[in-house]
Short mmCIF file of all heavy atoms in Angstrom, two decimals:
data_model
loop_
_atom_site.label_atom_id
_atom_site.label_comp_id
_atom_site.label_asym_id
_atom_site.label_seq_id
_atom_site.Cartn_x
_atom_site.Cartn_y
_atom_site.Cartn_z
N THR T 4 5.35 -10.98 -5.84
CA THR T 4 4.98 -11.89 -4.76
C THR T 4 3.77 -12.69 -5.17
O THR T 4 2.95 -12.23 -5.97
CB THR T 4 4.69 -11.12 -3.46
OG1 THR T 4 3.57 -10.26 -3.68
CG2 THR T 4 5.88 -10.30 -3.02
N ILE T 27 13.32 -12.31 -5.46
CA ILE T 27 13.76 -11.22 -4.59
C ILE T 27 15.28 -11.04 -4.68
O ILE T 27 16.03 -12.01 -4.84
CB ILE T 27 13.33 -11.48 -3.14
CG1 ILE T 27 13.50 -10.24 -2.27
CG2 ILE T 27 14.08 -12.67 -2.57
CD1 ILE T 27 12.87 -10.38 -0.89
N TYR T 46 0.45 -0.94 8.35
CA TYR T 46 1.73 -1.62 8.44
C TYR T 46 1.70 -2.68 9.54
O TYR T 46 1.16 -2.44 10.63
CB TYR T 46 2.84 -0.61 8.73
CG TYR T 46 4.15 -1.21 9.15
CD1 TYR T 46 5.00 -1.79 8.23
CD2 TYR T 46 4.54 -1.20 10.50
CE1 TYR T 46 6.21 -2.34 8.62
CE2 TYR T 46 5.75 -1.74 10.90
CZ TYR T 46 6.58 -2.32 9.96
OH TYR T 46 7.77 -2.86 10.35
N LYS T 69 13.40 -16.89 -0.52
CA LYS T 69 12.43 -16.99 -1.62
C LYS T 69 10.99 -17.07 -1.13
O LYS T 69 10.06 -17.03 -1.94
CB LYS T 69 12.77 -18.21 -2.49
CG LYS T 69 14.08 -18.04 -3.25
CD LYS T 69 14.32 -19.19 -4.20
CE LYS T 69 15.61 -18.93 -5.00
NZ LYS T 69 15.85 -20.01 -5.98
N LEU T 75 0.15 -14.64 12.81
CA LEU T 75 -0.63 -13.95 13.83
C LEU T 75 -0.87 -14.98 14.92
O LEU T 75 -1.63 -15.93 14.71
CB LEU T 75 -1.95 -13.45 13.26
CG LEU T 75 -1.88 -12.60 11.99
CD1 LEU T 75 -3.29 -12.23 11.53
CD2 LEU T 75 -1.05 -11.36 12.22
N TYR T 87 -1.32 -8.18 2.64
CA TYR T 87 -0.45 -8.00 1.49
C TYR T 87 1.00 -8.25 1.87
O TYR T 87 1.52 -7.69 2.84
CB TYR T 87 -0.55 -6.56 0.97
CG TYR T 87 -1.88 -6.19 0.38
CD1 TYR T 87 -2.81 -5.48 1.13
CD2 TYR T 87 -2.20 -6.53 -0.92
CE1 TYR T 87 -4.03 -5.12 0.59
CE2 TYR T 87 -3.42 -6.18 -1.47
CZ TYR T 87 -4.33 -5.48 -0.70
OH TYR T 87 -5.54 -5.13 -1.25
N ILE T 89 4.69 -7.69 0.40
CA ILE T 89 5.26 -6.74 -0.55
C ILE T 89 6.77 -6.82 -0.52
O ILE T 89 7.37 -6.88 0.54
CB ILE T 89 4.84 -5.30 -0.15
CG1 ILE T 89 3.33 -5.17 -0.10
CG2 ILE T 89 5.43 -4.27 -1.12
CD1 ILE T 89 2.87 -4.12 0.87
#
Side-chain angles (χ1 to χ4, degrees):
Chain T
T4 62
I27 192 170
Y46 166 77
K69 293 185 176 182
L75 308 178
Y87 294 99
I89 302 151

